[in-house]
């Protein structure tokens, strides 16, 4: 029933994607490494100039540092561009490699689907590939609307790690599905689940960066590569923006899963460990949204809840799938 | 909200033990095993409700408190929102420049013309518009955000109501039906039946289901590692009637494709083998001839079962066979007889024989095992326990003039689960309404936009100021203000 040739090509595409994405990750690291010292110098010079100008009452020119990576030249007329050419080159290479790697990853998922003649979402390996493809696609599409090059390294590190785990620990050969998985709900329920996990990954990275940025602000830490990142408030808002897309999708996952459970197992809610964890994750992110809307709670506490939610997603995936006894035993391990 | 938040976090934590420890309602046997293996912790955990988390008082306490807190929040807010939706937008602040989002421009038009243009622009944005005085327009929009929010929360309450309704009025029953046999939907026919507290078990729909054939397909392609023998398809071909004697209809029940039967839905949740065995006494009278289901123990369907032959009813000479059915039998040197493939490629019955009282004191017992308290094992000529190894068609004469046993043939059985949940449509409708409400509450923004006009120094010209006030975290408020101002100036002329 499985087409071994296509399955082979799928794996080849996956290995290539992994290699290309690793290179993209390195290129993004180079981008930050070249950008940050330059930014710091720019800020120091800008600050000096401000002092000089104030001394002679010429008026303050705003220093350009700390405002996020911007391709525009610095506004203070120092003659230095906001980004050195080397950084811009590295970012360009990284961006192209990310597009290529994402394309290869999507090709790998599609070939896997064609080789087994079904939605390629039947086991942990396939789920991990699809979720990372969604996370990358979300990052790239969002990146066409605003400058997200600073995020590249931080989104690629978890993705390369997840793909690495998928290819080694979770790998399952292309095969036909168990009867309980043979349903069009597989395509509906699991596609949306992978999409929302991809978005939650993006949201968790942004929440972490926000908390880091806040930590720097409260301890008055300046410099370091985080100075090339947007301000905490912007990061927090971006994290929230991602989470409020992911949360309704996760709600849909829960509902679609319940409908499918009724078709396959006879009852829409069986307190199966995977159901319980999906529900718990939903509750944690609901708590995040409440914490964010509650005036007495700080934004930082709310974002810690979001990160707890992501840890629960990881536990649900890596632990519940493999070690807990339940009806969602499709890990293929 | 703070209470709700804490209760939500508490609910998340309290739900977890149910995924860690086995739950009695899901797998009673595994729960009993766990308690037996943990003699110290097991009973303590049991007393604390860790094996029935979702029916435990502490879990109920959390979700009931959450429900109360939810209602206590949502009901007053619904009233408030109802009033807000019919109220006029508030008076415009005197100085719109103080609002975080504001913009101003001078236009070549009278204040009246500008105000008219402002009303028009705001109405076109579907905002509620009102002028409290001659120099300002107030507007408010995005009420659907709060509507969505309330629909989401009320939907959750209705969902729980549907869930509870299903538990009270729903029922489920499991039954094993060997191929060729008919199941009639009456209480006595079920192997296990769990009705909700308010179900009238006399009023079950009298439909019947006959299992004509059961197709099972397993993976035989060895190329993929770990996949050999994995189940690929189960289909039960059935003939049904709405009541005994009613016209027959044929249908199929598959995993993921249940069969709707009036008040009750039939699911194919299990399958296995039911060897037909004939036991005769020494005179050749048939004492037993039945398809006897054996329960699968592993993925290769090594199945256990028992054949209980009460005979003429005298308590001393009753015969009990117990042992395994092996669909693809082989003898493993370490573990003895076992099955290496789930399909019936080389079916064998491996049995031992007991004699005595099968049903001591009429205690309830499993149909798949013997209660050996009042039984003695029958030995062969060498004094070893008698081992019976039968392939289809083979007959064995039992020692000591006890008659004979014949393995006639083997059929499959369908493990059917028949269930009715009258609350499911309420739950589904409520959850979909909640989802819609949730989407509305995150994509729509509640906004107030005010426009104030003052005559400019030049006669006939007007300074128009637009100010925006967002109720929630709304990054696009400045854009809205700029857009409104642009629409007004375009309409009223520069």
């Amino acid at each position: 029933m499985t087409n071994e040739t296509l399955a082979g090509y799928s794996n080849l595409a996956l290995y290539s994607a992994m290699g290309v994405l690793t290179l993209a990750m390195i290129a993004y690291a180079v981008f930050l490494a070249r950008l940050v010292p330059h930014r710091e110098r720019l800020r120091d010079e800008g600050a000096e100039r401000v002092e000089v100008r104030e001394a002679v009452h010429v008026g303050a020119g705003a220093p350009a540092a700390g405002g996020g990576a911007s391709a525009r030249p610095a506004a203070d007329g120092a003659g230095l561009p906001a980004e050195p050419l080397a950084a811009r080159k590295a970012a360009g290479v990284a961006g192209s490699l990310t597009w290529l790697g994402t394309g290869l990853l999507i090709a790998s998922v599609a070939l896997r689907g064609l080789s087994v003649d079904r939605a390629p979402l039947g086991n942990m390996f396939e789920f991990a590939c699809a979720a990372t493809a969604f996370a990358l696609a979300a990052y790239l599409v969002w990146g066409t609307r605003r400058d997200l090059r600073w995020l590249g390294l931080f989104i690629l590190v978890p993705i390369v790690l997840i793909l690495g785990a998928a290819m080694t620990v979770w790998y399952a050969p292309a095969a036909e599905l168990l009867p309980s998985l043979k349903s069009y709900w597989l395509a509906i329920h699991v596609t949306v689940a992978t999409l929302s996990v991809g978005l939650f990954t993006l949201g968790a990275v942004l929440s972490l960066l926000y908390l880091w940025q806040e930590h720097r602000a409260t301890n008055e830490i300046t410099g370091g590569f985080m100075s090339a990142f947007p301000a905490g408030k912007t990061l927090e808002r971006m994290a929230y923006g991602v989470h409020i897309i992911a949360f309704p999708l996760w709600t849909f996952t829960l509902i679609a899963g319940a409908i499918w459970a009724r078709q396959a197992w006879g009852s829409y809610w069986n307190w199966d460990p995977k159901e319980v964890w999906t529900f718990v994750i939903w509750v944690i992110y609901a708590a995040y949204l409440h914490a964010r809307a509650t005036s007495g709670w700080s934004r930082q506490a709310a974002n810690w809840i979001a990160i707890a939610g992501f840890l629960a997603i990881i536990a649900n995936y890596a632990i519940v799938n493999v070690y807990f006894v339940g009806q969602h035993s499709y890990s293929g391990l | 909200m703070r209470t709700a938040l804490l209760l939500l976090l508490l609910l998340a934590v309290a739900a977890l033990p149910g995924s860690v420890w086995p739950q009695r309602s899901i797998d009673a046997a595994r729960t009993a095993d766990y308690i037996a293996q943990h003699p110290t912790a097991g009973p303590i955990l049991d007393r604390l409700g860790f094996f029935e988390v979702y029916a435990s008082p502490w879990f109920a306490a959390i979700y009931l408190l959450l429900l109360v807190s939810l209602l206590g929040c949502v009901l007053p807010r619904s009233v408030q929102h109802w009033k807000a939706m019919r109220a006029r937008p508030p008076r415009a602040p005197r100085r719109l420049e103080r609002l975080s989002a504001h913009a101003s421009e001078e236009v070549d038009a009278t204040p009246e013309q500008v105000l008219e243009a402002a009303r028009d622009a705001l109405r076109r944005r579907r905002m509620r518009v009102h002028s409290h005085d001659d120099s300002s327009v107030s507007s408010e929009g995005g009420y659907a955000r709060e509507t969505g929010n309330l629909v989401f929360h009320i939907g959750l309450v209705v969902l729980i109501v549907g869930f509870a309704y299903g538990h009270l009025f729903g029922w489920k029953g499991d039954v094993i039906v060997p191929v060729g046999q008919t199941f009639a939907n009456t209480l006595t026919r079920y192997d296990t039946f769990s009705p909700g507290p308010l179900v009238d078990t006399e009023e079950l729909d009298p439909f019947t289901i006959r299992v004509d054939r059961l197709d099972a397909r397993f993976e035989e392609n060895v190329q993929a590692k770990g996949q050999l023998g994995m189940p690929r398809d189960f289909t039960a071909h059935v003939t049904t009637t709405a009541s005994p004697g009613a016209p027959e209809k044929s249908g199929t029940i598959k995993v993921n494709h249940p069969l709707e039967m009036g008040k009750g839905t039939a699911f194919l949740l299990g399958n296995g083998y039911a060897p037909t065995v004939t036991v005769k006494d020494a005179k050749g009278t048939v004492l037993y001839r039945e398809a006897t289901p054996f329960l699968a123990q592993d993925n290769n369907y090594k199945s256990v079962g028992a054949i209980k032959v009460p005979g003429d009813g005298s308590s001393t000479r009753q015969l009990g066979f117990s042992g395994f059915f092996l669909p693809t039998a082989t003898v493993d040197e370490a573990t003895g007889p076992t099955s290496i493939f789930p399909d019936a490629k080389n079916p064998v019955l491996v049995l031992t024989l007991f004699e005595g009282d099968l049903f001591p004191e009429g205690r309830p017992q499993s149909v798949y095992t013997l209660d050996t308290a009042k039984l003695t094992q029958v030995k062969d000529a060498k004094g070893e326990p008698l081992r019976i190894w039968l392939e289809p068609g083979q007959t064995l004469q039992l020692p000591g003039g006890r008659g004979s046993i014949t393995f006639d043939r083997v059929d499959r059985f369908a493990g059917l689960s028949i269930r009715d949940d009258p609350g499911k449509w309420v739950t589904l409708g409520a959850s979909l309404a909640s989802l819609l409400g949730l989407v509305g509450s995150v994509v729509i923004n509640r906004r107030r936009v005010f426009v104030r006009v003052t005559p400019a120094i030049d006669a006939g010209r007007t300074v128009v100021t637009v100010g925006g006030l967002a109720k929630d975290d709304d990054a696009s408020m400045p854009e809205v203000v700029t857009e409104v101002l642009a629409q007004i100036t375009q309409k009223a002329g520069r």
Side-chain angles (χ1 to χ4, degrees):
Chain A
M1 296 295 273
T2 59
N3 186 330
E4 300 293 332
T5 321
L6 285 179
Y9 284 136
S10 164
N11 283 353
L12 204 61
L14 182 61
Y15 287 123
S16 318
M18 181 79 180
V20 170
L21 290 172
T22 310
L23 290 177
M25 181 177 82
I26 295 166
Y28 273 124
V30 170
F31 162 67
L32 286 179
R34 287 181 175 163
L35 178 68
V36 171
H38 182 83
R39 278 290 167 80
E40 280 174 358
R41 206 169 68 235
L42 212 62
R43 189 196 51 220
D44 293 345
E45 285 178 10
E48 273 169 34
R49 219 169 9 260
V50 170
E51 280 162 29
V52 172
R53 283 180 193 172
E54 277 177 348
V56 294
H57 301 285
V58 183
S70 159
R72 276 172 279 127
D76 61 355
L80 280 170
E83 275 175 11
L85 188 61
R88 207 155 62 228
K89 270 186 181 164
V93 169
S96 309
L97 287 175
T98 312
W99 277 100
L100 177 62
T102 309
L104 284 167
L105 185 56
I106 291 170
S108 161
V109 171
L111 283 169
R112 177 59 101 118
L114 287 173
S115 80
V116 287
D117 201 18
R118 59 171 166 84
L121 299 162
N123 51 49
M124 287 178 73
F125 164 73
E126 292 169 359
F127 190 101
C129 292
T132 45
F134 273 126
L136 280 171
Y139 167 72
L140 287 174
V141 170
W142 200 10
T144 59
R145 297 180 56 169
R146 68 185 290 171
D147 186 358
L148 290 178
R149 293 174 301 166
W150 49 271
L151 189 57
L153 177 63
F154 289 86
I155 197 72
L156 280 171
V157 167
I159 278 173
V160 167
L161 284 176
I162 292 168
L163 280 179
M167 291 194 318
T168 52
V169 191
W170 298 325
Y171 183 75
E176 206 185 327
L177 291 176
L178 300 178
S180 52
L181 285 177
K182 283 182 181 163
S183 167
Y184 54 88
W185 286 103
L186 176 74
I188 301 170
H189 167 66
V190 190
T191 305
V192 180
T194 46
L195 174 58
S196 48
V197 166
L199 288 173
F200 277 132
T201 311
L202 201 57
V205 168
L206 286 166
S207 284
L208 265 180
L209 290 174
Y210 157 71
L211 289 167
W212 195 352
Q213 201 69 300
E214 285 294 294
H215 169 78
R216 283 161 37 89
T218 43
N219 294 306
E220 291 176 2
I221 301 168
T222 53
F225 64 89
M226 285 297 285
S227 57
F229 279 41
K233 207 177 162 191
T234 315
L235 287 171
E236 204 276 337
R237 210 171 246 174
M238 290 171 77
Y240 177 68
V242 174
H243 280 124
I244 58 170
I245 301 171
F247 183 70
L249 288 173
W250 192 254
T251 311
F252 179 83
T253 305
L254 203 53
I255 296 172
I259 298 171
W260 188 12
R262 194 267 172 186
Q263 292 301 100
W265 304 330
S267 169
Y268 61 82
W269 196 259
N270 304 287
W271 294 109
D272 178 72
K274 201 75 190 290
E275 284 175 351
V276 171
W277 276 81
T278 305
F279 170 69
V280 164
I281 290 161
W282 186 84
V283 168
I284 295 175
Y285 279 107
Y288 160 72
L289 294 181
H290 280 84
R292 206 176 171 282
T294 306
S295 46
W297 275 61
S298 73
R299 287 282 154 91
Q300 292 182 44
N303 278 274
W304 279 116
I305 296 178
I307 286 164
F310 190 68
L311 291 178
I313 287 181
I314 294 175
N316 187 21
Y317 188 68
I319 298 172
V320 178
N321 270 343
V322 185
Y323 299 105
F324 286 23
V325 181
Q327 292 176 297
H328 275 86
S329 304
Y330 309 130
S331 61
L333 298 181
Chain B
M1 196 105 117
R2 199 177 282 196
T3 327
L5 178 55
L6 287 175
L7 286 170
L8 274 175
L9 290 174
L10 210 55
L11 184 71
V13 174
L16 290 182
S19 71
V20 178
W21 282 283
Q23 298 295 294
R24 200 161 276 142
S25 56
I26 299 169
D27 194 340
R30 211 163 71 81
T31 311
D33 276 357
Y34 184 91
I35 297 175
Q37 280 168 21
H38 300 80
T40 335
I44 299 172
L45 288 170
D46 194 14
R47 186 170 294 183
L48 294 174
F50 277 79
F51 301 114
E52 271 158 308
V53 167
Y54 309 110
S56 71
W58 43 270
F59 192 73
I62 297 170
Y63 71 72
L64 287 177
L65 280 174
L66 197 59
L67 203 59
V68 169
S69 135
L70 186 64
L71 286 173
C73 175
V74 167
L75 294 181
R77 267 177 84 159
S78 300
V79 175
Q80 213 181 342
H81 184 53
W82 180 254
K83 286 183 185 156
M85 279 201 299
R86 333 191 110 228
R88 289 173 182 157
R91 193 174 284 276
R94 193 168 298 276
R95 294 174 59 84
L96 294 182
E97 300 79 35
R98 289 199 178 160
L99 300 179
S100 60
H102 63 88
S104 183
E105 205 166 324
E106 195 177 303
V107 291
D108 190 14
T110 63
E112 289 75 29
Q113 285 170 325
V114 173
L115 285 180
E116 197 44 52
R119 279 190 207 101
D120 199 49
L122 292 169
R123 279 207 190 96
R124 226 181 290 161
R125 300 187 82 90
R126 304 222 256 145
M127 317 247 318
R128 180 181 289 270
V129 179
H130 184 77
S131 285
H132 288 273
D133 52 41
D134 295 341
S135 60
S136 75
V137 174
S138 306
S139 72
E140 186 160 3
Y143 295 94
R145 183 190 182 89
E146 178 71 356
T147 311
N149 189 7
L150 292 169
V151 166
F152 170 70
H153 286 95
I154 293 168
L156 291 185
V157 177
V158 177
L159 187 154
I160 293 169
V161 170
F163 194 75
Y165 187 81
H167 271 265
L168 293 176
F169 292 96
W171 51 266
K172 64 174 184 183
D174 298 331
V175 59
I176 280 179
V177 188
V179 168
Q181 292 191 13
T182 304
F183 160 78
N185 187 30
T186 52
L187 189 56
T188 49
R189 188 65 177 77
Y190 281 103
D191 299 332
T192 59
F193 190 80
S194 26
L198 301 180
V199 173
D200 183 357
T201 51
E202 302 296 307
E203 292 287 303
L204 295 179
D205 249 20
F207 58 79
T208 68
I209 300 173
R210 187 176 75 228
V211 178
D212 301 317
R213 206 172 88 222
L214 192 123
D215 294 341
R217 189 165 63 78
F218 301 93
E219 184 65 71
E220 300 192 15
N221 170 15
V222 202
Q223 280 162 303
K225 188 184 85 205
Q227 298 286 337
L228 181 69
M230 292 296 262
R232 291 303 176 217
D233 183 58
F234 299 123
T235 306
H237 299 269
V238 297
T239 304
T240 61
T241 63
S243 59
E248 290 189 339
K249 263 170 63 180
S250 59
T252 57
I253 311 176
K254 284 165 79 90
V255 181
N256 273 312
H257 297 276
L259 187 67
E260 305 290 340
M261 292 296 308
K263 283 181 90 180
T265 309
F267 298 88
L268 180 64
L269 292 193
N271 65 81
Y273 293 96
T276 301
V277 173
T278 305
V279 179
K280 294 179 184 166
D281 66 10
K283 289 175 220 138
T285 320
V286 174
L287 299 177
Y288 182 97
R289 175 174 284 163
E290 257 178 61
T292 314
F294 276 54
L295 279 191
Q297 303 297 298
D298 61 20
N299 288 339
N300 285 326
Y301 284 66
K302 178 181 185 179
S303 313
V304 296
I307 298 157
K308 300 179 185 182
V309 189
D312 56 5
S314 74
S315 63
T316 50
R317 295 280 301 206
Q318 294 176 346
L319 294 181
F321 299 87
S322 94
F324 297 106
F325 171 77
L326 309 168
T328 304
T330 183
V331 178
D332 185 286
E333 293 204 352
T335 56
T338 190
S339 173
I340 52 166
F341 195 74
D343 212 350
K345 304 249 175 208
N346 177 29
V348 165
L349 265 176
V350 182
L351 300 170
T352 52
L353 175 60
F354 289 83
E355 189 178 42
D357 187 357
L358 281 174
F359 308 103
E361 289 140 36
R363 279 198 299 262
Q365 53 172 273
S366 161
V367 281
Y368 304 104
T369 53
L370 295 176
D371 182 344
T372 54
K374 295 268 175 72
L375 294 174
T376 48
Q377 194 159 20
V378 174
K379 307 267 168 55
D380 63 11
K382 289 181 217 153
E384 297 283 315
L386 178 68
R387 291 278 298 270
I388 303 170
W389 179 281
L390 286 175
E391 290 172 22
Q394 289 184 341
T395 300
L396 182 86
Q397 295 298 325
L398 301 171
R402 291 180 178 89
S404 67
I405 178 169
T406 307
F407 178 11
D408 300 316
R409 61 170 202 281
V410 61
D411 292 313
R412 293 181 198 272
F413 69 77
L416 295 181
S417 185
I418 323 275
R419 297 167 182 223
D420 183 35
D421 181 354
K424 64 174 182 284
W425 294 113
V426 177
T427 308
L428 180 64
S431 53
L432 291 178
S434 272
L435 179 62
L436 273 181
L438 175 65
V439 170
S441 75
V442 294
V443 299
I444 297 164
N445 284 305
R446 181 83 169 266
R447 291 170 179 143
R448 284 174 183 169
V449 176
F450 304 104
V451 180
R452 196 168 267 290
V453 290
T454 42
I457 304 163
D458 299 336
R461 285 175 71 82
T462 308
V463 176
V464 51
T465 310
V466 179
L469 194 64
K471 252 197 121 178
D472 319 278
D473 200 22
D474 181 0
S476 55
M477 196 70 231
E479 282 167 42
V480 173
V481 166
T482 333
E483 271 174 38
V484 170
L485 184 63
Q487 281 162 354
I488 295 172
T489 51
Q490 203 182 14
K491 189 109 200 287
R494 252 161 227 275

